[in-house]
Amino acid sequence: MSSKGTAEKIIEAALHLVSEKGYTAATTKAIAELAGVNEVTIFRHFGNKRGILKAIIEQFSYYPLLQQELNKNVTWDLETDLLNFSIKHFNFLMSIKDFVMIGFKEAMQFPEINEEIANIPLHIKTELIHYFQEMHDRGKIREIDMEAAALSLIAINFGHFMSRARLGTFVSNMPNEELLKTSVSIFSRGLAP
Amino acid sequence: MSSKGTAEKIIEAALHLVSEKGYTAATTKAIAELAGVNEVTIFRHFGNKRGILKAIIEQFSYYPLLQQELNKNVTWDLETDLLNFSIKHFNFLMSIKDFVMIGFKEAMQFPEINEEIANIPLHIKTELIHYFQEMHDRGKIREIDMEAAALSLIAINFGHFMSRARLGTFVSNMPNEELLKTSVSIFSRGLAP
DNA sequence: CTAGCATGTAAGTAATTACTTGCATGAAAG
DNA sequence: CTTTCATGCAAGTAATTACTTACATGCTAG
């Protein structure tokens, strides 16, 4: 419960509250309360309210977490690889859910967060295109616009993520893996020659 | 420029500001300014700040706009119908972009908006499943989990919408129709027997 | 012309919010 | 034992915000 633990508690509370209510509505008083810390402690640690989010941005560098996973276990079997990718992509988004939500809500006030979020699909797109190109050269994918294909797969996974993260089981209570399995089954068959 | 016009200007300004900055950060002063109206006028029309959003919710009943379009022009050719659907779905979401963004940002403070937004995919899912079922009976779709297929198509379109609505051409500058055409081409081929 | 109605203007209020300051406390380190 | 350091606590401040009240103005319908 030293200094480090306190700062972390504040960051966690802020991450949760800001992602839920937005930056302006998440008051320092409420953040302090949720963190189980006196309000003054927030200012002693981070200077001002923006400082909390600034610390969050600096502390987390999310994308590398996903990138190093993606290139693992490539089998060059289309459906196997895409399912593997989709599950990782989906779980990655779920793991940074609060961060993504803040990025969406506070794009104006914190362009840095928004930019970091926006870069994720951009990076993934590049890697997917490479993969699709290689698969095409191996004769395992038909002639198609690779960029559009990559964007579509990203869109599916992101759509599933948003549905689950925001609406829970309201739209469907199908298990995530089953849903991804079917969507990848359709998608990979649609890509096959 | 009678009473009706004034209320509409206020609603438009609120829709824009709240979707951009969030409910709390969109002050009545700023809304009045953007609407080109005195701040007091807001309270005379809507009682209090929540009243503006309440009026927005009551005024707009979005889904019917889409529903009556969806059942038109069914050709029972898979790719044609899915492309037609996807374009309508995408454009519909674009047309209520501000409303969707508010639903996402203010799910806590305005559960009614969130509920209305959440109902859209639910309704669409039901209709898509019916369509897929009929297509299956006609032997034009392979044996597959219809619910997962419907959810996946919705997810693709929603994902594309989010990408364009939030990130513009940051991830890709491919024209919308071209993107949808490819994604539907993949999807419908993946569904074929 | 006049009566009514929507709006603008000015001024103010109570509550909230981010942030500060001064002091007390308690635990760990030398 | 004593110093240090992180934190709690109490009180306060300046700014902002939602909202009110009272009065002036102008347009429109009868």
Side-chain angles (χ1 to χ4, degrees), chain B residues 2-3 6 38 40-41 44-45:
Chain B
S2 69
S3 154
T6 304
N38 196 284
V40 217
T41 307
R44 288 200 265 243
H45 270 274

Side-chain angles (χ1 to χ4, degrees), chain A residues 8-31:
Chain A
E8 267 166 19
K9 280 193 297 183
I10 294 170
I11 283 180
E12 265 177 45
L15 208 44
H16 180 251
L17 278 182
V18 175
S19 81
E20 197 170 273
K21 315 166 120 193
Y23 177 73
T24 315
T27 65
T28 53
K29 191 180 167 189
I31 293 171

Side-chain angles (χ1 to χ4, degrees), chain B residues 134-147:
Chain B
E134 172 74 25
M135 286 295 272
H136 177 68
D137 294 348
R138 294 182 182 218
K140 292 184 171 181
I141 280 184
R142 65 178 167 117
E143 194 73 28
I144 204 168
D145 184 322
M146 301 293 179
E147 188 185 9

Side-chain angles (χ1 to χ4, degrees), chain B:
Chain B
M1 63 179 69
S2 69
S3 154
K4 212 173 185 178
T6 304
E8 267 166 20
K9 280 192 298 184
I10 294 169
I11 283 180
E12 264 177 46
L15 208 44
H16 180 250
L17 277 183
V18 175
S19 81
E20 195 171 274
K21 313 166 121 191
Y23 178 74
T24 314
T27 66
T28 53
K29 191 180 167 190
I31 293 170
E33 209 165 307
L34 183 63
V37 157
N38 196 284
E39 194 183 352
V40 217
T41 307
I42 290 180
F43 295 102
R44 288 200 265 243
H45 270 274
F46 303 100
N48 53 37
K49 194 182 171 185
R50 286 191 76 87
I52 312 175
L53 287 219
K54 206 177 151 200
I56 291 178
I57 297 167
E58 283 164 7
Q59 173 174 340
F60 294 80
S61 182
Y62 292 110
Y63 180 64
L65 293 176
L66 178 62
Q67 192 169 29
Q68 68 185 105
E69 274 298 314
L70 285 188
N71 291 326
K72 280 184 191 167
N73 309 325
V74 177
T75 66
W76 305 110
D77 171 71
L78 188 60
E79 189 162 347
T80 306
D81 287 343
L82 292 192
L83 182 56
N84 211 298
F85 160 76
S86 291
I87 290 174
K88 279 176 182 167
H89 185 200
F90 181 87
N91 287 336
F92 169 71
L93 289 172
M94 274 297 186
S95 73
I96 61 165
K97 180 185 154 189
D98 284 347
F99 198 71
V100 173
M101 290 304 166
I102 293 178
F104 271 83
K105 289 187 188 183
E106 309 299 336
M108 282 256 313
Q109 276 197 296
F110 297 94
E112 319 95 299
I113 297 185
N114 194 51
E115 200 181 316
E116 182 133 355
I117 299 292
N119 270 319
I120 295 174
L122 198 59
H123 285 132
I124 294 181
K125 185 185 84 171
T126 307
E127 294 201 26
L128 267 181
I129 290 176
H130 284 144
Y131 175 79
F132 286 157
Q133 198 63 56
E134 172 74 25
M135 286 295 272
H136 177 68
D137 294 348
R138 294 182 182 218
K140 292 184 171 181
I141 280 184
R142 65 178 167 117
E143 194 73 28
I144 204 168
D145 184 322
M146 301 293 179
E147 188 185 9
L151 290 171
S152 297
L153 185 57
I154 294 169
I156 295 186
N157 294 331
F158 184 78
H160 286 322
F161 157 70
M162 276 304 232
S163 173
R164 273 293 140 80
R166 284 292 328 285
L167 309 175
T169 56
F170 183 81
V171 179
S172 159
N173 54 11
M174 183 173 290
N176 292 333
E177 302 231 346
E178 200 179 319
L179 187 57
L180 290 179
K181 205 175 156 192
T182 302
S183 85
V184 165
S185 156
I186 296 171
F187 196 84
S188 52
R189 188 186 246 241
L191 235 45

